[in-house]
Amino acid sequence: MAKALNLQEKTANLLCRVLERGKLRVTMVEVAALAEEEGIDEEELYDALLDLEGVRAMVPVRSKTGRGLAWEHRALKVGPGEELEVPIAVYYAFEGLLWTGRWSYEYAAQRYFEAIREVHASSFTEALKVMVSKTSQLLVDAELIKTSIIEVGLPESEAGVLISELKGGGFISPLISMSQLKPTAKGPYYELNPALFRGAVRSKPFMHA
C-alpha cells in the first residue's frame, strides 16, 4: 500500500490499522491511540494525517465552510472532538489488495456499485475507466462524465446517477473552486480521488491550491 499511495511506511501502516477496524469513521483519539501503537509521535502523526488527506485516503469530517462536503473544504484539526473518515472507495481498494494483491480502482468501483445494488454496475465501472483514460489530470467535468456514459451504451440521463454515486463512494468530489474560476467552461468540475487514480492518469496529477 505504501508504494501504491506513495506514502511513508509508518503512514501506510496507520491507514492499514484504521482500515482493519472496518470502520469508515474514526475519532482523532482512536487514530492517536493507533499511531502510538505504531510508534508514531505527535508531530509525525500530524504529518501523516496531512499526507493521508492529501491523497484523500482519510479526510476530516469537519468542513471549513460549515456546509457541503467537498474535500477541498475539509479542515484538518487535531483535537479530541475531531473525526476523520475513509472514503468507502478506499476501503474497497484495500479489500481488493488483500484479495488480489493489487491496489485497483476498477475492483473498488465494481465492488461498490454491486454493494449499493446499482443495476448498471458493470457499465458504470466501464464508464469510469473511459473517464480515466480520457483525462490527463486528476480532474473531470460533467461533460466528460456524460460522454463516458454514452460511450458505454447507456442513455445520457444516467450521467447524473453516476455522478451522485461516485460522490457517495468517494471516487470523486466537487471541485468548487475550479468551477468558480472557470464559470463559462463545461463544469461543474470534480477531482478524482488521488488514492485511487493517481497511477492511472496519463500525466501529472491535478494540483489545487
Side-chain angles (χ1 to χ4, degrees):
M1 180 187 286
K3 184 177 180 181
L5 301 183
N6 194 27
L7 295 172
Q8 295 291 327
E9 197 69 35
K10 282 187 176 182
T11 302
N13 289 343
L14 177 61
L15 177 60
C16 284
R17 293 293 303 277
V18 172
L19 290 166
E20 287 168 354
R21 291 164 61 91
K23 292 173 59 179
L24 296 181
R25 184 172 289 199
V26 292
T27 66
M28 193 65 73
V29 173
E30 292 173 316
V31 172
L34 292 174
E36 186 175 358
E37 293 174 11
E38 290 294 323
I40 300 173
D41 62 32
E42 187 173 333
E43 184 176 345
E44 289 175 324
L45 174 58
Y46 187 72
D47 290 339
L49 294 178
L50 281 176
D51 287 343
L52 290 171
E53 181 188 19
V55 297
R56 311 309 193 195
M58 192 159 64
V59 295
V61 171
R62 183 190 298 271
S63 172
K64 297 175 185 177
T65 63
R67 65 184 188 280
L69 295 177
W71 296 328
E72 65 176 347
H73 290 164
R74 303 295 181 97
L76 178 61
K77 294 183 180 180
V78 178
E82 300 300 319
E83 289 185 301
L84 299 160
E85 64 181 0
V86 176
I88 194 168
V90 173
Y91 178 82
Y92 284 137
F94 178 67
E95 178 186 279
L97 180 64
L98 296 179
W99 281 99
T100 70
R102 292 179 59 247
W103 183 266
S104 166
Y105 80 84
E106 295 99 326
Y107 177 98
Q110 187 69 30
R111 180 73 173 82
Y112 166 69
F113 289 131
E114 290 175 353
I116 64 173
R117 299 184 179 181
E118 167 54 54
V119 295
H120 299 303
S122 294
S123 294
F124 275 13
T125 300
E126 288 303 312
L128 182 58
K129 290 166 67 175
V130 171
M131 287 162 46
V132 172
S133 73
K134 292 188 175 182
T135 184
S136 59
Q137 298 177 323
L138 292 176
L139 175 69
V140 295
D141 60 25
E143 186 65 21
L144 176 55
I145 297 173
K146 186 186 301 181
T147 58
S148 299
I149 276 287
I150 295 171
E151 187 165 324
V152 299
L154 291 175
E156 183 180 312
S157 58
E158 290 294 329
V161 178
L162 178 58
I163 290 171
S164 178
E165 292 180 356
L166 289 176
K167 288 194 298 182
F171 293 87
I172 65 173
S173 177
L175 200 52
I176 299 168
S177 59
M178 178 62 74
S179 299
Q180 291 172 339
L181 285 171
K182 297 184 177 182
T184 60
K186 295 179 180 179
Y189 290 92
Y190 303 91
E191 62 169 304
L192 293 169
N193 190 320
L196 298 164
F197 300 104
R198 180 159 55 185
V201 296
R202 293 191 300 257
S203 65
K204 294 181 180 180
F206 173 71
M207 303 298 292
H208 56 84

